Amino acid sequence: MSFAAVDVIRAKRDKGVLSDAQIDWVVDAYTKGVVADEQMSALAMAILLNGMTAGEIARWTAAMIASGERLDLSGVGRPTVDKHSTGGVGDKITLPLTPLVAACGAAVPQLSGRGLGHTGGTLDKLEAVAGFGTKLSNEAFVEQLRTVGAAICAAGEGLAPADRKLYALRDVTGTVEAIPLIASSIMSKKIAEGTGALVLDVKFGSGAFMRQVADARELARTMVELGKAHGVTTVALLTDMEVPLGRTVGHSLEVEESLEVLAGGGPQDVVTLTLALAREMLDAVGLGDVDPQAAIADGRAMDSWRALVRAQGGDPDAPLPVAGEVETITATRDGFVATMDAYAVGVAAWRLGAGRARKEDPVSASAGIILHRKPGEAVRTGDVIMELRAEDAGKLPAALDVARGAVTLSDTPPPSRPLILDRIS
Ligand code: URA
């Protein structure tokens, strides 16, 4: 069945409900170039302004999945479970979590992305490891899941091509923030990837996509429903991203911190979230009685990381790159760190060279920030709160400017914030 694109746009502009046939047609026709970018831009804006019903979102997601291939992971020989985070500052959880869950007996098919703007991408972090390759063919991906139990790579061209095209368009038309479009974008890729179960880390707060808890909750609920409708066991945790996660932001620094977690140390918030997500993932595939903490304690998780890195061409023993130019931000008085704005820290790391302005830009593997103090911790005048590192000294002043504005001090400790606010299933 064929439609005039302008009629589909008018229907959503006038707050109508699109039919299944209209949705199937417009997603397919846009992927093939029959519907023009300007027409899809208008439709995306109408969706952002007027929303979609649950039925429309489910159909839109199915149409995006149908635009490409759906991987078959049935030959992997273990239950498959993936994790997706909506992104944040210092969010390196995929790095310790993937090998940890693999060490506990599941297979983790991780198709990851690169950072854009103030949030970092898992693929950029992994490329700080010498030799690590982030491109795998579908066959190599499935084979690595079978032999190692984990693979972290970029999504192939054949997976949800409608989303690749639409996401790039949304990025330049102010239509990224539409919950129906975010939910269908994320879930179409995860469902097409073939995972049997999925755990979502949906973040809220200044460093997250969704600043408000209510929006994050709606996004989480929408995605959980989409997963279930497609036969994928899906659970979401709502987690705080008002403050950066852990004590490092920047690719090689975050790899180093992830290795600390795998070795049994690391910052408490990173450890807590890694273990909470690991337990959810194992539970989702019937391995709820396996204790992930034991797999860290006895070294199985670290062995699994080393096997994953080697399988993708990396050298787990190579030293990580270190940036030579350093500046610090120190406490101007005695007291406590009251707040540390995740967005501002993310922008500072981006200005140091860790982030990119356009998706083809290179990133610095070693640029980043070490957070020597975090909210709730005491400081004396002159104590280092943040250490900024760059390869290029010229990048430090602009980063220092924004990083200074990220921190406030107080006379008394601030109230503590729960890291995990809710679970949605
Ligand atoms: N990540 C995605 O993959 N899609 C979105 O729309 C937003 C974040």
Side-chain angles (χ1 to χ4, degrees), residues 35-324:
V35 166
D37 276 348
E38 58 270 26
Q39 293 174 310
M40 191 49 117
S41 307
L43 180 58
M45 186 58 82
I47 291 169
L48 181 135
L49 295 173
N50 295 328
M52 276 180 149
T53 64
E56 285 178 296
I57 300 173
R59 191 69 182 203
W60 188 277
T61 307
M64 298 236 286
I65 297 167
S67 73
E69 60 195 343
R70 189 169 175 174
L71 294 186
D72 175 6
L73 302 184
S74 58
V76 162
R78 316 185 193 191
T80 53
V81 57
D82 192 6
K83 186 259 329 186
H84 179 85
S85 157
T86 55
V89 177
D91 182 3
K92 70 277 295 170
I93 301 290
T94 296
L95 272 53
L97 180 66
T98 302
L100 171 60
V101 173
C104 292
V108 188
Q110 260 285 337
L111 296 180
S112 297
R114 298 194 179 275
L116 192 63
H118 71 283
T119 61
T122 297
L123 300 183
D124 296 323
K125 297 181 215 277
L126 282 166
E127 281 173 353
V129 177
F132 195 97
T134 54
K135 274 194 183 153
L136 291 181
S137 67
N138 289 349
E139 294 71 30
F141 182 64
V142 175
E143 179 58 13
Q144 192 174 316
L145 287 172
R146 207 179 57 75
T147 53
V148 179
I152 309 178
C153 64
E157 299 284 312
L159 221 77
D163 176 63
R164 187 163 306 112
K165 202 170 168 193
L166 181 56
Y167 189 79
L169 185 74
R170 287 165 57 212
D171 205 23
V172 294
T173 56
T175 52
V176 167
E177 293 86 349
I179 287 177
L181 296 180
I182 298 174
S184 55
S185 165
I186 292 171
M187 293 306 290
S188 63
K189 285 174 287 201
K190 291 293 167 186
I191 295 164
E193 157 198 290
T195 189
L198 177 65
V199 176
L200 299 161
D201 179 2
V202 181
K203 298 195 176 293
F204 60 90
S206 94
F209 231 137
M210 299 277 138
R211 295 197 160 214
Q212 306 303 326
V213 182
D215 292 336
R217 194 183 292 281
E218 186 186 336
L219 177 62
R221 281 210 186 102
T222 307
M223 291 197 288
V224 167
E225 288 312 316
L226 282 174
K228 285 192 205 160
H230 286 271
V232 178
T233 309
T234 308
V235 174
L237 297 184
L238 279 186
T239 72
D240 187 42
M241 188 25 77
E242 194 61 28
V243 172
L245 204 49
R247 292 197 181 263
T248 59
V249 181
H251 311 305
S252 62
L253 293 171
E254 292 191 43
V255 172
E256 202 177 311
E257 189 169 273
S258 303
L259 291 172
E260 286 169 20
V261 173
L262 288 166
Q268 197 50 54
D269 56 349
V270 179
V271 174
T272 300
L273 192 51
T274 301
L275 288 173
L277 289 165
R279 290 192 180 106
E280 290 290 353
M281 290 169 78
L282 293 168
D283 212 32
V285 293
L287 294 170
D289 53 351
V290 181
D291 176 14
Q293 215 158 3
I296 292 179
D298 65 15
R300 278 177 292 142
M302 183 65 93
D303 289 347
S304 169
W305 160 263
R306 295 172 66 81
L308 165 67
V309 169
R310 280 209 195 90
Q312 293 190 225
D315 177 359
D317 297 312
L320 291 162
V322 178

Side-chain angles (χ1 to χ4, degrees), residues 353-371:
R356 51 168 72 78
R358 294 173 311 166
K359 61 179 187 307
E360 56 280 7
D361 290 348
V363 292
S364 162
S366 57
I369 303 179
I370 301 173
L371 308 170

